[in-house]
Amino acid sequence: MTQLNKITYSRVSESVYQVEFKNGFQVFFIPKPMFTEKTAMLTVHYGSLDNAFTVRNRDYTYPEGLAHFLEHKVFEDERGQDVSQRFTQFGTEVNAFTTFDKTSYFISASNHFMESLTLLQEFVMSAHFTEASVEREKKIIAQEIDMYMDDPDYQSYIGILQNLFPDTYLSRDIAGSRQSIEAITVTDLEKNYKHFYHPSNMTLIVVGDINVEETFKSIENCQDRLKRRKPAKPTISPLPYHSVVKTGSISMDVSTPKLAVGFRGKKLPKGISLLEYKVGLRLLLSLLFGWTSKTYQTWYDDGKIDDSFDIEIEIQADFSFILITLDTNEPIAMSSNIRRKIKDFMKSKDINQDHLTLLKKEMFGDFVQSLDFMDQFVSQFNLYLSAQDSYMDIPQIIEKINFEEILLIGHDFFESAEISDFTVFPK
């Protein structure tokens, strides 16, 4: 008999119930008593990097943007109608997005939640494709691609990734290109749907004022009705690490140059906590460049940076990178300043125990605050979920990680990191 497992996080007075059904479908229930809104996120572990894989010793390669294309087409039912309209009849919001390694379908409702939850499972697990609808979708996605081509912030982002991970799927638009989208066929969609859109490759997160047992039974009944044969498990081709392109630039209609400084980390060994590694890097970079640091305040007061200054940390089993992005009238000088600060981070006066204590309190406060914002919470829980950790482990990591461990993580990442920068200059 399938059983629920309860995990209690006493520090933040939260509980998570986890279950794995016989078909491999994993579900997490997070009760939120007294909350009006209920949310659910159904994630398929299949993203833009999964275009090349092996099944039963046979290699497959598909056009870029196929995962994102599937995300769009899954919303079409057997009659060719948009499933979103059925959610609207329930008063339920529905959306979806594709990342490097995931495709997620999200609903939010105050009423008719159980009906909406059943519909979410049904439409994701029973897709239909026709030649005519695929050709229509190509035009829609082509327009979406064109929109991003005109976005300087996105061009800065994709430009630095092209420098850090040249000639890989990571350096390409998640939506693909006009050429790659045109090459997608109904057969491509059907085969990738069959390989990846099986319950054993999915995770469902349900959050809100729910009756866990009742919701569990509803999902169990739905899964029994949606029985599908389990496909052979694809083996994803590893991401290659080619030589980094040291610098690059383009010109666009911007008033202030946009700078991105990127650090490509090594592939991390198996067995380490990726979440703890990421938290350590986040704390170190907050010490160096966060709004409480002297460096940030000096650069801000001198007009070298503004509120656009941002840090993105991506730590995955197969790749890792850090991006520091900003609008600045001194892109060349600021690239040099950022590189120097990181190279000599041990010399920074901002790296001290008192500052770390302050930042750990701030990080814990941000975590607690996120628990009350349903959309943010379910997204973060989905983002940090792994076989080793979950988003709910962050308070324990914050409490446990010490000054020396943070410095060790910083040395481990940056001593072997390769660096590049990319600038969007005004025309």
Side-chain angles (χ1 to χ4, degrees):
M1 181 179 176
T2 305
Q3 292 202 349
L4 282 164
N5 300 309
K6 181 180 180 181
I7 307 170
T8 301
Y9 298 89
S10 56
R11 178 98 189 258
V12 289
S13 301
E14 296 279 352
S15 295
V16 176
Y17 296 80
Q18 185 269 338
V19 63
E20 181 173 328
F21 291 97
K22 289 181 290 186
N23 61 2
F25 190 49
Q26 287 204 66
V27 184
F28 295 85
F29 304 94
I30 308 172
K32 289 284 187 179
M34 306 302 291
F35 276 63
T36 303
E37 182 185 13
K38 300 179 181 72
T39 66
M41 183 172 284
L42 178 54
T43 292
V44 185
H45 301 286
Y46 167 62
S48 66
L49 300 185
D50 301 328
N51 287 353
F53 54 87
T54 302
V55 179
R56 293 195 177 104
N57 296 319
R58 183 176 175 182
D59 296 331
Y60 294 87
T61 301
Y62 289 95
E64 297 158 24
L66 199 142
H68 174 259
F69 203 109
L70 258 179
E71 173 213 314
H72 280 234
K73 292 312 301 166
V74 165
F75 275 92
E76 188 173 297
D77 65 19
E78 69 276 9
R79 298 171 297 168
Q81 301 297 310
D82 186 350
V83 179
S84 301
Q85 297 174 6
R86 295 170 63 186
F87 283 105
T88 301
Q89 292 171 357
F90 290 138
T92 299
E93 294 182 21
V94 61
N95 212 334
F97 59 89
T98 304
T99 65
F100 296 134
D101 62 338
K102 296 181 178 72
T103 305
S104 296
Y105 300 85
F106 174 84
I107 61 169
S108 176
S110 298
N111 301 302
H112 302 289
F113 179 71
M114 297 300 284
E115 297 97 321
S116 299
L117 184 59
T118 297
L119 179 57
L120 174 66
Q121 296 169 78
E122 289 175 344
F123 91 85
V124 173
M125 297 183 191
S126 55
H128 305 271
F129 313 105
T130 65
E131 295 284 355
S133 68
V134 168
E135 290 305 312
R136 285 197 305 270
E137 201 65 45
K138 288 180 180 180
K139 295 181 175 62
I140 295 170
I141 294 178
Q143 293 175 343
E144 184 179 336
I145 292 170
D146 288 344
M147 179 183 67
Y148 283 114
M149 290 294 290
D150 294 331
D151 185 337
D153 287 311
Y154 184 76
Q155 289 305 310
S156 173
Y157 177 76
I158 202 69
I160 189 63
L161 287 183
Q162 288 171 347
N163 281 4
L164 294 174
F165 299 93
D167 300 319
T168 69
Y169 292 126
L170 192 56
S171 67
R172 283 136 199 194
D173 194 322
I174 286 173
S177 65
R178 275 182 165 269
Q179 293 75 20
S180 69
I181 293 306
E182 195 59 39
I184 291 174
T185 67
V186 170
T187 301
D188 293 338
L189 295 168
E190 289 174 342
K191 286 187 175 180
N192 279 264
Y193 181 83
K194 176 184 175 182
H195 283 309
F196 294 100
Y197 274 67
H198 186 270
S200 60
N201 196 45
M202 296 181 183
T203 301
L204 175 64
I205 303 164
V206 185
V207 185
D209 191 357
I210 55 174
N211 181 312
V212 174
E213 288 288 344
E214 179 184 321
T215 310
F216 164 73
K217 287 295 182 184
S218 172
I219 294 170
E220 186 175 45
N221 291 335
C222 184
Q223 291 300 308
D224 285 342
R225 292 196 310 273
L226 296 172
K227 284 182 179 178
R228 283 173 48 200
R229 183 178 178 183
K230 186 175 180 179
K233 185 175 177 61
T235 301
I236 307 300
S237 301
L239 187 79
Y241 263 38
H242 301 306
S243 297
V244 164
V245 178
K246 298 300 183 184
T247 190
S249 66
I250 58 172
S251 296
M252 296 184 71
D253 289 326
V254 294
S255 57
T256 305
K258 293 181 177 294
L259 170 67
V261 182
F263 300 82
R264 185 179 78 178
K266 63 186 179 183
K267 296 189 178 185
L268 297 173
K270 294 181 180 179
I272 74 166
S273 168
L274 300 181
L275 182 55
E276 183 174 344
Y277 198 89
K278 186 171 184 176
V279 168
L281 286 173
R282 172 62 65 188
L283 287 168
L284 176 63
L285 290 169
S286 295
L287 287 166
L288 281 172
F289 300 121
W291 70 274
T292 57
S293 69
K294 294 182 177 65
T295 294
Y296 181 95
Q297 293 299 329
T298 299
W299 286 350
Y300 192 91
D301 291 343
D302 291 345
K304 297 181 185 296
I305 63 172
D306 57 20
D307 292 337
S308 66
F309 189 90
D310 190 42
I311 298 172
E312 177 181 343
I313 302 171
E314 187 77 37
I315 305 296
Q316 301 277 3
D318 200 32
F319 63 90
S320 61
F321 64 82
I322 292 172
L323 305 182
I324 299 177
T325 55
L326 59 151
D327 294 353
T328 177
N329 286 312
E330 304 176 25
I332 297 174
M334 285 306 299
S335 177
S336 177
N337 287 339
I338 290 168
R339 293 166 186 250
R340 187 173 60 253
K341 286 287 184 182
I342 286 181
K343 181 181 179 181
D344 300 327
F345 72 81
M346 287 296 294
K347 298 178 182 179
S348 173
K349 294 180 180 178
D350 285 311
I351 305 291
N352 60 72
Q353 184 62 57
D354 289 342
H355 193 189
L356 175 61
T357 300
L358 174 66
L359 288 176
K360 289 175 77 169
K361 290 179 180 178
E362 181 184 43
M363 183 179 282
F364 180 75
D366 289 341
F367 173 86
V368 172
Q369 188 176 38
S370 76
L371 299 178
D372 291 335
F373 292 89
M374 301 291 279
D375 291 2
Q376 178 185 352
F377 174 63
V378 73
S379 295
Q380 293 298 302
F381 192 90
N382 182 53
L383 176 65
Y384 289 105
L385 191 59
S386 71
Q388 294 175 303
D389 304 298
S390 86
Y391 185 60
M392 305 302 289
D393 293 313
I394 287 181
Q396 182 181 357
I397 292 173
I398 294 171
E399 183 177 14
K400 186 185 75 169
I401 196 167
N402 60 41
F403 190 72
E404 290 72 25
E405 288 170 331
I406 291 169
L407 297 181
L408 284 173
I409 289 172
H411 281 299
D412 184 70
F413 182 89
F414 288 112
E415 283 183 357
S416 60
E418 297 185 78
I419 312 172
S420 177
D421 60 38
F422 188 88
T423 308
V424 178
F425 288 107
K427 284 186 176 179

